[in-house]
Amino acid sequence: MRLRRFSLPSTVLCALAFAAAPPAHAVPEDFFGVNGQMLPLLSPEQQQRHLAAMAAGGLQFVRHDASWVHAEPEPPDPVTGAHAYRWDELDRQVALYAANGLRWLPIIDYSTAWSGRIQGEYFSPPADPRQYAAYAAAVARRYGGTGDFWREHPELPRLPVMKYEIWNEQNTDHFWRDQADAPEYYAELYLAARAAIKAVDPDARVVVGGLALENTGVTDPDDFITRMYRHRPELLGKVDAVGFHPYTPDVGGVYMKLREIRATLSRVGAGDVPLELTELGWTTTTASESHRADSLARLADTLPRSDCNVTSLAPHTWLTNEKNPADREDWFGIYNLDGTPKPSGSAYLSSVQRVRSAAVGDSVSICSSATSPSRRRRASPRARRPLVVFMRVKRLGRRNRRLVAAIRCPGGCAMRVKALGVSRRDKRRRAVPLWQRSLAHSARRRLLRIRVSPRWRVVRVDARAQDRAGRVKVRTATLRLHTAR
Protein backbone atom coordinates (compact mmCIF):
# COMPACT_ATOMS: atom_id res chain seq x y z
CA MET A 1 0.00 0.00 0.00
CA ARG A 2 1.07 3.57 -0.48
CA LEU A 3 2.85 5.37 2.31
CA ARG A 4 1.26 8.76 2.92
CA ARG A 5 3.78 11.07 4.53
CA PHE A 6 2.95 14.71 5.01
CA SER A 7 5.62 17.38 4.86
CA LEU A 8 3.43 20.40 5.68
CA PRO A 9 2.33 21.53 9.15
CA SER A 10 -1.40 21.41 9.79
CA THR A 11 -1.45 25.18 10.22
CA VAL A 12 -0.66 25.88 6.55
CA LEU A 13 -3.40 28.23 5.32
CA CYS A 14 -4.00 29.86 2.01
CA ALA A 15 -6.29 32.79 1.16
CA LEU A 16 -8.59 32.51 -1.86
CA ALA A 17 -9.38 35.48 -4.05
CA PHE A 18 -12.63 35.06 -5.95
CA ALA A 19 -12.29 36.95 -9.21
CA ALA A 20 -15.32 38.75 -10.57
CA ALA A 21 -15.70 36.91 -13.84
CA PRO A 22 -18.58 35.66 -15.92
CA PRO A 23 -19.74 32.12 -15.27
CA ALA A 24 -17.34 29.54 -16.70
CA HIS A 25 -18.20 26.61 -18.92
CA ALA A 26 -19.55 23.35 -17.58
CA VAL A 27 -17.22 20.98 -15.73
CA PRO A 28 -14.70 19.36 -18.12
CA GLU A 29 -15.56 15.88 -19.33
CA ASP A 30 -14.49 13.12 -16.93
CA PHE A 31 -13.42 15.59 -14.24
CA PHE A 32 -14.68 13.68 -11.19
CA GLY A 33 -13.53 10.21 -10.25
CA VAL A 34 -12.17 8.14 -7.41
CA ASN A 35 -9.45 5.58 -6.75
CA GLY A 36 -10.78 2.03 -6.57
CA GLN A 37 -7.76 -0.18 -5.92
CA MET A 38 -9.68 -2.44 -3.53
CA LEU A 39 -12.65 -3.04 -5.83
CA PRO A 40 -11.16 -6.04 -7.70
CA LEU A 41 -10.81 -7.83 -4.34
CA LEU A 42 -14.59 -7.81 -3.83
CA SER A 43 -17.14 -10.23 -5.22
CA PRO A 44 -18.97 -9.15 -8.40
CA GLU A 45 -22.11 -8.51 -6.34
CA GLN A 46 -20.24 -6.28 -3.89
CA GLN A 47 -18.54 -4.44 -6.71
CA GLN A 48 -21.85 -3.82 -8.41
CA ARG A 49 -23.23 -2.23 -5.24
CA HIS A 50 -20.27 0.14 -4.98
CA LEU A 51 -20.10 1.00 -8.68
CA ALA A 52 -23.81 1.79 -8.71
CA ALA A 53 -23.26 4.19 -5.80
CA MET A 54 -20.40 5.88 -7.68
CA ALA A 55 -22.51 6.35 -10.79
CA ALA A 56 -25.54 7.58 -8.84
CA GLY A 57 -23.29 10.09 -7.09
CA GLY A 58 -22.15 11.63 -10.37
CA LEU A 59 -18.65 10.15 -10.63
CA GLN A 60 -17.32 9.63 -14.13
CA PHE A 61 -14.25 7.42 -13.83
CA VAL A 62 -12.45 4.91 -11.62
CA ARG A 63 -8.66 4.86 -11.34
CA HIS A 64 -6.84 1.63 -10.72
CA ASP A 65 -3.85 -0.35 -11.93
CA ALA A 66 -3.36 -2.01 -15.29
CA SER A 67 -0.73 -4.27 -13.75
CA TRP A 68 1.80 -5.40 -16.33
CA VAL A 69 2.76 -8.43 -14.26
CA HIS A 70 -0.80 -9.78 -14.40
CA ALA A 71 -1.23 -9.19 -18.12
CA GLU A 72 2.19 -10.44 -19.24
CA PRO A 73 3.81 -12.66 -16.60
CA GLU A 74 6.08 -14.33 -19.19
CA PRO A 75 8.62 -12.54 -21.41
CA PRO A 76 8.09 -12.21 -25.17
CA ASP A 77 9.05 -15.11 -27.41
CA PRO A 78 12.88 -15.05 -27.62
CA VAL A 79 12.84 -15.85 -31.34
CA THR A 80 9.89 -13.88 -32.73
CA GLY A 81 9.56 -11.24 -30.01
CA ALA A 82 5.80 -11.87 -29.94
CA HIS A 83 3.92 -10.87 -26.79
CA ALA A 84 1.24 -13.02 -25.14
CA TYR A 85 -1.16 -10.99 -23.01
CA ARG A 86 -3.82 -12.17 -20.58
CA TRP A 87 -6.79 -9.82 -20.41
CA ASP A 88 -9.25 -11.87 -18.30
CA GLU A 89 -8.94 -9.86 -15.07
CA LEU A 90 -9.00 -6.45 -16.75
CA ASP A 91 -11.86 -7.46 -19.05
CA ARG A 92 -14.01 -8.26 -16.02
CA GLN A 93 -13.26 -4.92 -14.38
CA VAL A 94 -13.80 -2.81 -17.49
CA ALA A 95 -17.10 -4.61 -18.19
CA LEU A 96 -18.35 -3.81 -14.69
CA TYR A 97 -17.33 -0.17 -15.02
CA ALA A 98 -18.96 0.25 -18.41
CA ALA A 99 -22.18 -1.47 -17.30
CA ASN A 100 -22.47 1.25 -14.63
CA GLY A 101 -21.60 4.14 -16.95
CA LEU A 102 -18.08 4.59 -15.58
CA ARG A 103 -14.87 4.98 -17.52
CA TRP A 104 -11.56 3.40 -16.51
CA LEU A 105 -8.41 5.45 -15.88
CA PRO A 106 -5.61 2.84 -16.07
CA ILE A 107 -2.26 3.23 -14.35
CA ILE A 108 0.22 1.46 -16.62
CA ASP A 109 2.36 -0.10 -13.91
CA TYR A 110 4.78 -1.60 -12.77
CA SER A 111 7.54 -3.96 -13.99
CA THR A 112 7.33 -7.75 -14.19
CA ALA A 113 9.63 -10.43 -12.78
CA TRP A 114 11.46 -10.51 -16.11
CA SER A 115 11.47 -6.87 -17.25
CA GLY A 116 13.00 -4.72 -14.48
CA ARG A 117 16.48 -3.27 -14.31
CA ILE A 118 16.63 -5.23 -11.06
CA GLN A 119 15.41 -8.70 -11.96
CA GLY A 120 12.45 -9.83 -9.88
CA GLU A 121 11.83 -6.33 -8.48
CA TYR A 122 8.38 -5.10 -9.55
CA PHE A 123 9.11 -1.52 -8.51
CA SER A 124 12.28 -1.38 -10.59
CA PRO A 125 11.90 0.55 -13.86
CA PRO A 126 11.95 -1.62 -16.97
CA ALA A 127 15.39 -2.35 -18.36
CA ASP A 128 14.06 -1.76 -21.88
CA PRO A 129 11.48 1.05 -22.16
CA ARG A 130 10.37 -0.43 -25.48
CA GLN A 131 8.94 -3.49 -23.71
CA TYR A 132 6.94 -1.27 -21.36
CA ALA A 133 5.80 0.85 -24.32
CA ALA A 134 4.65 -2.30 -26.10
CA TYR A 135 2.46 -3.18 -23.12
CA ALA A 136 1.05 0.37 -22.93
CA ALA A 137 0.15 0.16 -26.62
CA ALA A 138 -1.47 -3.26 -26.05
CA VAL A 139 -3.71 -1.77 -23.33
CA ALA A 140 -4.73 1.00 -25.75
CA ARG A 141 -5.34 -1.54 -28.51
CA ARG A 142 -7.58 -3.53 -26.17
CA TYR A 143 -9.52 -0.80 -24.33
CA GLY A 144 -8.95 2.46 -26.25
CA GLY A 145 -11.10 4.27 -28.77
CA THR A 146 -10.96 1.49 -31.37
CA GLY A 147 -10.27 -1.27 -28.85
CA ASP A 148 -10.95 -4.93 -29.48
CA PHE A 149 -12.78 -5.17 -26.15
CA TRP A 150 -15.61 -2.92 -27.35
CA ARG A 151 -16.08 -4.85 -30.59
CA GLU A 152 -16.29 -8.06 -28.58
CA HIS A 153 -18.89 -6.59 -26.18
CA PRO A 154 -21.46 -4.63 -28.19
CA GLU A 155 -23.96 -5.10 -25.35
CA LEU A 156 -21.98 -2.68 -23.13
CA PRO A 157 -22.11 1.12 -23.22
CA ARG A 158 -19.08 2.18 -25.24
CA LEU A 159 -16.82 3.97 -22.75
CA PRO A 160 -13.28 3.52 -24.05
CA VAL A 161 -10.19 4.55 -22.14
CA MET A 162 -9.30 8.14 -22.96
CA LYS A 163 -6.38 8.71 -20.57
CA TYR A 164 -3.39 6.55 -19.63
CA GLU A 165 -1.26 7.27 -16.56
CA ILE A 166 2.37 6.26 -17.03
CA TRP A 167 3.56 4.68 -13.74
CA ASN A 168 2.66 5.94 -10.27
CA GLU A 169 4.74 8.09 -7.89
CA GLN A 170 7.90 7.47 -9.88
CA ASN A 171 9.63 10.12 -7.78
CA THR A 172 9.59 7.82 -4.70
CA ASP A 173 11.97 5.00 -3.93
CA HIS A 174 8.93 2.98 -2.85
CA PHE A 175 7.62 2.73 -6.43
CA TRP A 176 10.80 3.41 -8.48
CA ARG A 177 14.08 1.92 -7.28
CA ASP A 178 16.40 3.63 -7.29
CA GLN A 179 15.99 7.43 -7.50
CA ALA A 180 19.50 8.35 -8.67
CA ASP A 181 18.52 8.86 -12.33
CA ALA A 182 14.76 8.52 -11.97
CA PRO A 183 13.75 11.85 -13.64
CA GLU A 184 16.00 11.27 -16.64
CA TYR A 185 15.07 7.61 -17.13
CA TYR A 186 11.40 8.33 -16.59
CA ALA A 187 11.53 10.95 -19.36
CA GLU A 188 12.71 8.21 -21.73
CA LEU A 189 9.96 5.86 -20.52
CA TYR A 190 7.22 8.46 -20.87
CA LEU A 191 8.20 9.45 -24.40
CA ALA A 192 8.40 5.81 -25.51
CA ALA A 193 5.02 4.94 -23.97
CA ARG A 194 3.32 8.06 -25.31
CA ALA A 195 4.54 7.43 -28.85
CA ALA A 196 3.37 3.81 -28.69
CA ILE A 197 -0.09 4.74 -27.33
CA LYS A 198 -0.57 7.59 -29.82
CA ALA A 199 0.29 5.23 -32.70
CA VAL A 200 -2.72 3.13 -31.65
CA ASP A 201 -5.05 5.91 -30.46
CA PRO A 202 -4.04 9.40 -31.67
CA ASP A 203 -6.72 11.05 -29.52
CA ALA A 204 -5.50 9.47 -26.27
CA ARG A 205 -4.24 11.63 -23.42
CA VAL A 206 -1.03 10.30 -21.88
CA VAL A 207 -0.47 11.51 -18.31
CA VAL A 208 2.83 11.77 -16.44
CA GLY A 209 2.43 9.43 -13.44
CA GLY A 210 1.20 11.11 -10.26
CA LEU A 211 4.10 12.79 -8.43
CA ALA A 212 4.31 12.53 -4.64
CA LEU A 213 5.27 15.38 -2.36
CA GLU A 214 8.81 15.86 -1.08
CA ASN A 215 9.85 13.58 1.78
CA THR A 216 12.54 11.09 2.77
CA GLY A 217 13.20 8.79 -0.16
CA VAL A 218 11.31 11.13 -2.49
CA THR A 219 12.73 13.29 -5.25
CA ASP A 220 11.08 16.68 -4.90
CA PRO A 221 8.38 16.94 -7.62
CA ASP A 222 9.62 20.35 -8.75
CA ASP A 223 13.14 18.99 -9.12
CA PHE A 224 11.81 15.87 -10.85
CA ILE A 225 9.96 17.92 -13.47
CA THR A 226 12.90 20.25 -14.00
CA ARG A 227 15.32 17.36 -14.56
CA MET A 228 12.88 15.58 -16.91
CA TYR A 229 12.64 18.57 -19.22
CA ARG A 230 16.34 19.35 -18.95
CA HIS A 231 17.19 15.79 -20.00
CA ARG A 232 14.71 15.63 -22.89
CA PRO A 233 13.82 19.16 -24.07
CA GLU A 234 11.54 17.62 -26.71
CA LEU A 235 9.08 16.94 -23.89
CA LEU A 236 7.87 20.49 -24.54
CA GLY A 237 4.66 20.06 -26.48
CA LYS A 238 4.63 16.29 -25.89
CA VAL A 239 3.28 16.09 -22.33
CA ASP A 240 -0.50 15.82 -22.36
CA ALA A 241 -0.92 16.25 -18.59
CA VAL A 242 1.00 15.86 -15.33
CA GLY A 243 -0.39 13.71 -12.52
CA PHE A 244 0.00 15.11 -9.01
CA HIS A 245 -0.67 13.75 -5.50
CA PRO A 246 -0.87 16.73 -3.10
CA TYR A 247 -1.43 14.91 0.21
CA THR A 248 -1.41 17.75 2.74
CA PRO A 249 -3.05 18.26 6.13
CA ASP A 250 -5.65 20.70 4.78
CA VAL A 251 -7.11 22.30 1.67
CA GLY A 252 -4.84 25.33 2.04
CA GLY A 253 -1.85 23.03 1.67
CA VAL A 254 -3.33 21.54 -1.52
CA TYR A 255 -3.70 25.01 -3.00
CA MET A 256 -0.14 25.93 -2.03
CA LYS A 257 1.28 22.81 -3.67
CA LEU A 258 -0.75 23.47 -6.81
CA ARG A 259 0.78 26.94 -7.04
CA GLU A 260 4.28 25.51 -6.62
CA ILE A 261 3.98 22.84 -9.30
CA ARG A 262 2.24 25.24 -11.67
CA ALA A 263 5.14 27.70 -11.20
CA THR A 264 7.65 24.92 -11.91
CA LEU A 265 5.89 23.95 -15.13
CA SER A 266 5.90 27.60 -16.18
CA ARG A 267 9.65 27.86 -15.51
CA VAL A 268 10.41 24.94 -17.84
CA GLY A 269 8.13 26.36 -20.55
CA ALA A 270 5.21 24.00 -19.95
CA GLY A 271 2.88 26.39 -18.16
CA ASP A 272 -0.15 25.35 -20.21
CA VAL A 273 0.13 21.62 -19.39
CA PRO A 274 -2.97 20.43 -17.45
CA LEU A 275 -2.75 18.91 -13.97
CA GLU A 276 -4.55 15.67 -13.12
CA LEU A 277 -5.01 15.18 -9.36
CA THR A 278 -5.04 11.39 -9.52
CA GLU A 279 -4.65 11.03 -5.76
CA LEU A 280 -5.21 13.07 -2.63
CA GLY A 281 -7.04 12.43 0.59
CA TRP A 282 -6.99 12.14 4.34
CA THR A 283 -6.68 9.15 6.64
CA THR A 284 -8.86 9.22 9.74
CA THR A 285 -5.88 8.09 11.81
CA THR A 286 -4.74 11.73 11.68
CA ALA A 287 -7.79 13.70 10.49
CA SER A 288 -11.36 13.74 11.70
CA GLU A 289 -14.15 12.49 9.46
CA SER A 290 -15.74 15.96 9.47
CA HIS A 291 -12.44 17.55 8.38
CA ARG A 292 -12.15 15.07 5.52
CA ALA A 293 -15.76 15.61 4.46
CA ASP A 294 -15.41 19.41 4.44
CA SER A 295 -12.09 19.22 2.56
CA LEU A 296 -13.32 16.93 -0.22
CA ALA A 297 -16.50 18.95 -0.70
CA ARG A 298 -14.52 22.18 -0.91
CA LEU A 299 -12.05 20.79 -3.46
CA ALA A 300 -14.85 19.39 -5.60
CA ASP A 301 -16.47 22.83 -5.60
CA THR A 302 -13.40 25.00 -6.26
CA LEU A 303 -11.00 23.03 -8.45
CA PRO A 304 -13.20 22.84 -11.58
CA ARG A 305 -13.32 26.65 -11.67
CA SER A 306 -9.81 27.41 -10.46
CA ASP A 307 -7.07 29.08 -12.49
CA CYS A 308 -4.71 26.09 -11.99
CA ASN A 309 -5.82 24.21 -15.14
CA VAL A 310 -6.80 21.14 -13.13
CA THR A 311 -8.66 18.71 -15.38
CA SER A 312 -9.48 15.83 -13.02
CA LEU A 313 -9.90 14.99 -9.33
CA ALA A 314 -9.75 11.42 -7.97
CA PRO A 315 -9.60 11.15 -4.17
CA HIS A 316 -7.80 8.25 -2.55
CA THR A 317 -9.78 6.19 -1.96
CA TRP A 318 -13.29 4.70 -2.21
CA LEU A 319 -12.77 1.78 0.14
CA THR A 320 -10.11 0.49 2.55
CA ASN A 321 -9.81 -2.50 4.89
CA GLU A 322 -10.21 -0.68 8.23
CA LYS A 323 -8.80 -3.57 10.22
CA ASN A 324 -5.49 -2.37 11.63
CA PRO A 325 -5.71 0.79 13.80
CA ALA A 326 -1.93 1.20 13.55
CA ASP A 327 -1.89 1.24 9.75
CA ARG A 328 -2.80 4.67 8.40
CA GLU A 329 -3.28 3.17 4.92
CA ASP A 330 -6.24 1.19 6.24
CA TRP A 331 -8.32 4.32 6.89
CA PHE A 332 -8.48 6.41 3.71
CA GLY A 333 -11.80 4.96 2.47
CA ILE A 334 -14.79 7.28 2.07
CA TYR A 335 -17.32 4.41 1.80
CA ASN A 336 -18.06 1.42 4.03
CA LEU A 337 -17.72 -2.17 2.89
CA ASP A 338 -21.51 -2.64 2.89
CA GLY A 339 -21.88 0.09 0.26
CA THR A 340 -23.08 2.85 2.59
CA PRO A 341 -21.33 6.22 2.57
CA LYS A 342 -19.30 7.77 5.33
CA PRO A 343 -19.88 11.51 5.87
CA SER A 344 -16.86 12.17 3.62
CA GLY A 345 -18.36 10.02 0.85
CA SER A 346 -21.71 11.79 1.11
CA ALA A 347 -20.05 15.22 1.15
CA TYR A 348 -17.86 14.50 -1.87
CA LEU A 349 -20.67 13.04 -3.99
CA SER A 350 -23.12 15.77 -2.99
CA SER A 351 -20.63 18.41 -4.08
CA VAL A 352 -19.96 16.54 -7.34
CA GLN A 353 -23.71 16.37 -8.11
CA ARG A 354 -24.19 20.03 -7.30
CA VAL A 355 -21.28 21.14 -9.49
CA ARG A 356 -22.24 18.89 -12.41
CA SER A 357 -25.89 19.94 -12.34
CA ALA A 358 -25.16 23.47 -13.58
CA ALA A 359 -22.40 25.59 -15.05
CA VAL A 360 -19.72 26.29 -12.48
CA GLY A 361 -19.76 29.70 -10.84
CA ASP A 362 -17.22 32.48 -10.77
CA SER A 363 -13.58 31.55 -11.29
CA VAL A 364 -11.41 31.00 -8.24
CA SER A 365 -7.91 32.43 -8.07
CA ILE A 366 -5.53 29.84 -6.59
CA CYS A 367 -2.45 29.60 -8.80
CA SER A 368 -2.12 33.30 -9.60
CA SER A 369 -0.89 35.57 -6.83
CA ALA A 370 -3.51 35.98 -4.09
CA THR A 371 -1.69 38.83 -2.34
CA SER A 372 -2.67 42.45 -2.71
CA PRO A 373 -0.40 44.86 -4.67
CA SER A 374 0.68 46.59 -1.46
CA ARG A 375 1.76 43.30 0.09
CA ARG A 376 3.62 42.32 -3.10
CA ARG A 377 5.58 45.58 -2.89
CA ARG A 378 6.58 44.82 0.70
CA ALA A 379 7.76 41.31 -0.11
CA SER A 380 11.47 41.22 -0.87
CA PRO A 381 12.76 39.54 -4.05
CA ARG A 382 14.61 37.03 -1.84
CA ALA A 383 11.38 36.06 -0.03
CA ARG A 384 9.55 35.53 -3.33
CA ARG A 385 12.36 33.49 -4.90
CA PRO A 386 11.82 29.71 -4.53
CA LEU A 387 14.41 27.60 -2.77
CA VAL A 388 16.36 25.70 -5.42
CA VAL A 389 18.83 22.94 -4.58
CA PHE A 390 21.08 21.10 -7.01
CA MET A 391 22.79 17.87 -5.97
CA ARG A 392 24.85 15.34 -7.89
CA VAL A 393 26.58 12.34 -6.35
CA LYS A 394 29.35 10.45 -8.15
CA ARG A 395 31.22 7.25 -7.39
CA LEU A 396 35.00 7.35 -7.27
CA GLY A 397 37.65 4.68 -6.94
CA ARG A 398 38.11 1.33 -8.59
CA ARG A 399 35.43 -0.31 -6.49
CA ASN A 400 33.23 2.77 -6.01
CA ARG A 401 33.86 2.90 -2.26
CA ARG A 402 34.28 6.67 -2.30
CA LEU A 403 31.52 9.12 -3.11
CA VAL A 404 31.65 12.82 -3.94
CA ALA A 405 28.50 14.89 -3.48
CA ALA A 406 28.33 18.29 -5.20
CA ILE A 407 25.54 20.41 -3.70
CA ARG A 408 24.56 24.03 -4.26
CA CYS A 409 21.72 26.40 -3.38
CA PRO A 410 22.01 29.40 -5.77
CA GLY A 411 19.96 31.52 -3.38
CA GLY A 412 21.86 30.36 -0.30
CA CYS A 413 20.94 27.78 2.34
CA ALA A 414 22.14 25.89 5.38
CA MET A 415 22.36 22.17 4.93
CA ARG A 416 22.51 18.81 6.68
CA VAL A 417 23.80 15.93 4.59
CA LYS A 418 23.62 12.25 5.55
CA ALA A 419 24.85 9.03 3.98
CA LEU A 420 22.88 5.91 4.87
CA GLY A 421 23.50 2.26 4.10
CA VAL A 422 20.48 0.34 2.82
CA SER A 423 20.37 -3.40 3.42
CA ARG A 424 19.02 -5.32 0.45
CA ARG A 425 18.34 -8.29 2.70
CA ASP A 426 16.01 -6.28 4.91
CA LYS A 427 12.53 -6.42 3.37
CA ARG A 428 11.65 -3.13 5.04
CA ARG A 429 14.75 -1.54 3.43
CA ARG A 430 15.70 0.24 6.63
CA ALA A 431 18.57 2.68 6.33
CA VAL A 432 21.56 2.73 8.71
CA PRO A 433 23.33 6.11 9.27
CA LEU A 434 26.93 5.99 8.03
CA TRP A 435 28.04 9.62 7.83
CA GLN A 436 26.69 13.11 8.53
CA ARG A 437 27.80 16.70 7.99
CA SER A 438 26.14 20.04 8.84
CA LEU A 439 26.98 23.06 6.66
CA ALA A 440 26.52 26.76 7.38
CA HIS A 441 24.42 29.05 5.21
CA SER A 442 26.08 29.69 1.84
CA ALA A 443 25.33 30.09 -1.86
CA ARG A 444 28.58 28.48 -3.05
CA ARG A 445 28.93 24.92 -4.26
CA ARG A 446 29.97 22.43 -1.59
CA LEU A 447 31.98 19.28 -2.40
CA LEU A 448 31.64 16.52 0.19
CA ARG A 449 33.77 13.36 0.15
CA ILE A 450 32.21 10.26 1.68
CA ARG A 451 33.91 6.91 2.32
CA VAL A 452 31.74 3.81 2.46
CA SER A 453 32.46 0.47 4.08
CA PRO A 454 32.64 -2.50 1.64
CA ARG A 455 29.76 -4.17 3.49
CA TRP A 456 27.24 -1.79 1.88
CA ARG A 457 26.07 -2.37 -1.66
CA VAL A 458 23.38 0.35 -1.66
CA VAL A 459 23.99 3.82 -0.23
CA ARG A 460 21.53 6.70 -0.03
CA VAL A 461 22.63 10.32 0.30
CA ASP A 462 20.04 12.73 1.78
CA ALA A 463 20.55 16.50 1.74
CA ARG A 464 18.16 18.72 3.71
CA ALA A 465 18.50 22.40 2.78
CA GLN A 466 16.86 25.35 4.55
CA ASP A 467 16.96 28.99 3.51
CA ARG A 468 16.63 32.08 5.71
CA ALA A 469 12.88 32.25 5.05
CA GLY A 470 12.51 28.82 6.68
CA ARG A 471 11.70 26.95 3.47
CA VAL A 472 13.01 23.41 3.24
CA LYS A 473 14.01 21.21 0.30
CA VAL A 474 15.18 17.62 0.49
CA ARG A 475 17.31 15.99 -2.20
CA THR A 476 17.98 12.25 -2.28
CA ALA A 477 20.33 10.11 -4.39
CA THR A 478 20.56 6.33 -4.16
CA LEU A 479 23.58 4.50 -5.59
CA ARG A 480 24.42 0.83 -6.08
CA LEU A 481 28.06 0.09 -5.36
CA HIS A 482 30.27 -2.76 -6.52
CA THR A 483 31.14 -5.46 -4.04
CA ALA A 484 34.76 -5.93 -3.01
CA ARG A 485 36.66 -8.77 -4.68
Side-chain angles (χ1 to χ4, degrees):
M1 298 297 289
R2 292 161 174 77
L3 301 177
R4 304 295 165 214
R5 296 165 292 185
F6 302 138
S7 58
L8 294 174
S10 60
T11 56
V12 173
L13 294 176
C14 162
L16 277 177
F18 293 87
H25 298 293
V27 178
E29 184 178 7
D30 289 339
F31 189 93
F32 291 112
V34 73
N35 279 268
Q37 284 84 358
M38 262 198 68
L39 289 175
L41 304 179
L42 305 179
S43 69
E45 294 75 17
Q46 289 175 309
Q47 286 197 59
Q48 175 59 36
R49 187 183 308 128
H50 286 280
L51 294 172
M54 292 179 189
L59 299 187
Q60 298 154 296
F61 70 90
V62 182
R63 176 184 183 257
H64 83 82
D65 309 78
S67 297
W68 188 10
V69 66
H70 293 151
E72 193 181 17
E74 301 298 329
D77 186 280
V79 177
T80 65
H83 297 265
Y85 298 110
R86 303 176 184 176
W87 301 118
D88 298 20
E89 291 184 27
L90 291 177
D91 279 359
R92 283 193 292 271
Q93 287 303 122
V94 175
L96 281 168
Y97 296 157
N100 286 276
L102 295 163
R103 204 182 298 273
W104 178 35
L105 170 58
I107 317 164
I108 311 297
D109 60 12
Y110 293 98
S111 285
T112 68
W114 55 268
S115 64
R117 288 165 109 180
I118 305 172
Q119 288 287 303
E121 173 57 78
Y122 297 114
F123 296 134
S124 167
D128 184 353
R130 292 173 299 180
Q131 298 288 3
Y132 175 90
Y135 173 59
V139 174
R141 197 174 295 113
R142 181 71 182 167
Y143 303 106
T146 59
D148 297 337
F149 174 84
W150 305 107
R151 286 196 296 273
E152 295 171 10
H153 295 279
E155 77 282 4
L156 291 172
R158 191 178 180 86
L159 290 167
V161 171
M162 298 174 63
K163 302 176 185 177
Y164 302 82
E165 191 170 355
I166 305 304
W167 214 269
N168 170 68
E169 297 191 352
Q170 61 276 0
N171 65 323
T172 74
D173 60 11
H174 184 74
F175 291 108
W176 183 290
R177 300 171 184 162
D178 57 37
Q179 284 291 299
D181 66 343
E184 293 77 15
Y185 199 74
Y186 179 80
E188 305 287 346
L189 188 74
Y190 174 84
L191 286 171
R194 182 180 186 274
I197 291 171
K198 292 280 191 180
V200 174
D201 186 356
D203 296 326
R205 189 171 184 176
V206 185
V207 182
V208 169
L211 295 167
L213 294 185
E214 167 190 322
N215 213 304
T216 303
V218 178
T219 302
D220 176 72
D222 302 310
D223 187 39
F224 196 95
I225 290 170
T226 301
R227 288 170 58 184
M228 275 180 58
Y229 278 89
R230 184 187 302 147
H231 177 68
R232 293 296 297 267
E234 61 268 39
L235 283 168
L236 287 172
K238 291 186 178 179
V239 172
D240 301 323
V242 172
F244 191 39
H245 296 172
Y247 286 92
T248 69
D250 53 30
V251 170
V254 174
Y255 293 158
M256 186 178 77
K257 289 301 177 182
L258 284 174
R259 283 199 299 273
E260 289 179 3
I261 198 167
R262 178 54 65 200
T264 297
L265 287 167
S266 296
R267 281 196 297 273
V268 300
D272 59 344
V273 171
L275 291 170
E276 306 261 349
L277 302 191
T278 53
E279 282 186 36
L280 57 73
W282 289 266
T283 170
T284 51
T285 60
T286 56
S288 68
E289 180 63 26
S290 61
H291 173 80
R292 180 165 68 178
D294 292 344
S295 299
L296 288 175
R298 186 177 174 192
L299 290 173
D301 176 65
T302 58
L303 291 180
R305 52 198 177 99
S306 78
D307 58 354
C308 296
N309 194 12
V310 174
T311 51
S312 74
L313 171 63
H316 179 78
T317 183
W318 185 260
L319 186 70
T320 42
N321 282 318
E322 299 189 357
K323 292 181 179 179
N324 183 0
D327 183 1
R328 60 186 294 116
E329 281 294 329
D330 250 8
W331 304 91
F332 273 91
I334 62 174
Y335 254 66
N336 297 305
L337 181 60
D338 63 3
T340 58
K342 296 182 180 181
S344 52
S346 293
Y348 177 54
L349 295 188
S350 295
S351 190
V352 167
Q353 291 172 310
R354 184 173 60 254
V355 171
R356 289 193 63 197
S357 66
V360 294
D362 293 346
S363 62
V364 181
S365 178
I366 295 173
C367 287
S368 60
S369 175
T371 58
S372 66
S374 61
R375 289 194 62 181
R376 284 202 299 271
R377 283 195 298 270
R378 287 197 297 268
S380 69
R382 181 182 297 274
R384 294 196 303 267
R385 186 184 305 145
L387 172 58
V388 178
V389 182
F390 299 102
M391 180 174 81
R392 185 176 296 274
V393 183
K394 293 184 178 180
R395 310 171 182 87
L396 294 180
R398 184 177 177 183
R399 291 173 180 162
N400 299 158
R401 307 320 303 177
R402 290 182 293 147
L403 307 179
V404 172
I407 311 175
R408 180 171 179 255
C409 305
C413 68
M415 199 175 300
R416 185 175 72 245
V417 185
K418 296 180 180 180
L420 305 104
V422 181
S423 173
R424 296 180 61 82
R425 296 179 180 177
D426 186 342
K427 293 183 179 180
R428 297 177 62 185
R429 297 179 67 85
R430 286 171 291 193
V432 176
L434 306 177
W435 177 94
Q436 179 173 314
R437 181 76 57 82
S438 294
L439 305 171
H441 190 278
S442 175
R444 65 182 179 85
R445 187 177 70 153
R446 272 72 74 93
L447 289 177
L448 304 174
R449 291 172 172 80
I450 306 167
R451 288 189 177 274
V452 180
S453 165
R455 67 170 289 201
W456 297 106
R457 295 184 60 186
V458 179
V459 174
R460 193 177 81 217
V461 178
D462 292 347
R464 183 183 186 276
Q466 183 170 356
D467 65 7
R468 296 196 189 281
R471 293 169 294 196
V472 174
K473 288 279 186 182
V474 177
R475 294 286 178 264
T476 296
T478 304
L479 300 94
R480 292 192 299 272
L481 309 181
H482 295 318
T483 54
R485 296 181 180 175

